[in-house]
Every structure is written in structure tokens, then in C-alpha cells.
Amino acid sequence: MQLNVTTDYDIRVVLYLAKKKGVANSNEICIEMGIPCTYMHKITRTLKNAGIRREIRGSTGGFVLQKDPESLSILNIAVAFEKTMNINRCLEADKFCNRDAVPFCAVRDISLKHKPNYTTD
């Protein structure tokens, strides 16, 4: 599975904020984590909407983690931002299969029976 580039950047921001253990501004995060500064608004918005970070306003402001870093995992972040965690399209709701094998596919049948329950808690 390959993560969306925005999810990769979200993970990098969370990692930096967890290591920093304090306020970090967007320029600092971009430079230290190799994230294009043009992405920062989108990234920080998604992290805010997920309740992962909050903003400190003012001249010494920036971003801090809103959640305890010990309670976060890469999986939590990926699940919050990826549209799907399925590795095959046939496991999606529309059951699309480019081989027209949905009715008899043994792999799909086993995958659905043993599908992990991903949560963001």
C-alpha cells in the first residue's frame, strides 16, 4: 500500500511536533521535515480537523499537538486521512474487479472474512 503524499506530510508534521514537545511554526516544520511550504495550510487544516493539533496565535505562536503523542500511531493518522485502507479495489463498496471474478474470487472472499477493523481511537 502506498500512502497519499498529503498523509505522508501529515505524519511528518505529527512526528516533528511530538519530538519538539512544544510550539513550532510552519517554516520551521517545512525546513526540518522537507515539506513544501505550499502544502502546510492543507496539512495543518487536516490535522486540526482530526483533533490532532492546535494553533497558538501571536508572534511566538505556531502549532502544538493537541493529543498525547503516545496515543498516536502512524495507522491512526493514515486512517484519518486516507480515503481507503483497502489494498485491492475489489474490497471497496462497488466491488469493482477488472477480471470479472467477484462472484468466485477466493482471495476476495478470504479478505472480507478477515478484514481488520481500523479505528482512529
Side-chain angles (χ1 to χ4, degrees):
M1 170 185 293
Q2 185 173 351
L3 297 176
N4 178 311
V5 70
T6 303
T7 302
D8 175 54
Y9 292 154
D10 284 322
I11 292 167
R12 291 179 194 211
V13 169
V14 171
L15 178 63
Y16 186 79
L17 292 174
K19 285 184 174 183
K20 176 87 179 203
K21 298 180 182 174
V23 179
N25 67 47
S26 59
N27 286 337
E28 173 185 350
I29 297 168
C30 290
I31 291 167
E32 293 295 322
M33 299 309 289
I35 299 170
C37 288
T38 55
Y39 266 91
M40 281 305 289
H41 179 69
K42 181 177 183 179
I43 294 165
T44 56
R45 183 177 60 241
T46 58
L47 290 171
K48 178 182 177 186
N49 292 343
I52 295 173
R53 71 95 182 149
R54 65 185 176 92
E55 190 171 337
I56 307 294
R57 297 204 180 262
S59 61
T60 59
F63 306 107
V64 294
L65 286 181
Q66 188 169 326
K67 293 188 174 188
D68 177 15
E70 297 295 322
S71 72
L72 294 170
S73 70
I74 291 175
L75 178 61
N76 294 135
I77 298 165
V79 168
F81 300 110
E82 290 292 321
K83 291 179 181 175
T84 182
M85 293 298 289
N86 291 327
I87 58 172
N88 287 325
R89 173 85 189 277
C90 69
L91 298 174
E92 298 294 335
D94 67 0
K95 301 177 187 175
F96 175 80
C97 178
N98 62 351
R99 298 182 319 111
D100 294 322
V102 171
F104 57 85
C105 180
V107 174
R108 182 178 186 283
D109 187 47
I110 290 169
S111 296
L112 288 175
K113 287 179 183 174
H114 302 288
K115 186 174 180 179
N117 181 15
Y118 298 117
T119 63
T120 57
D121 295 334

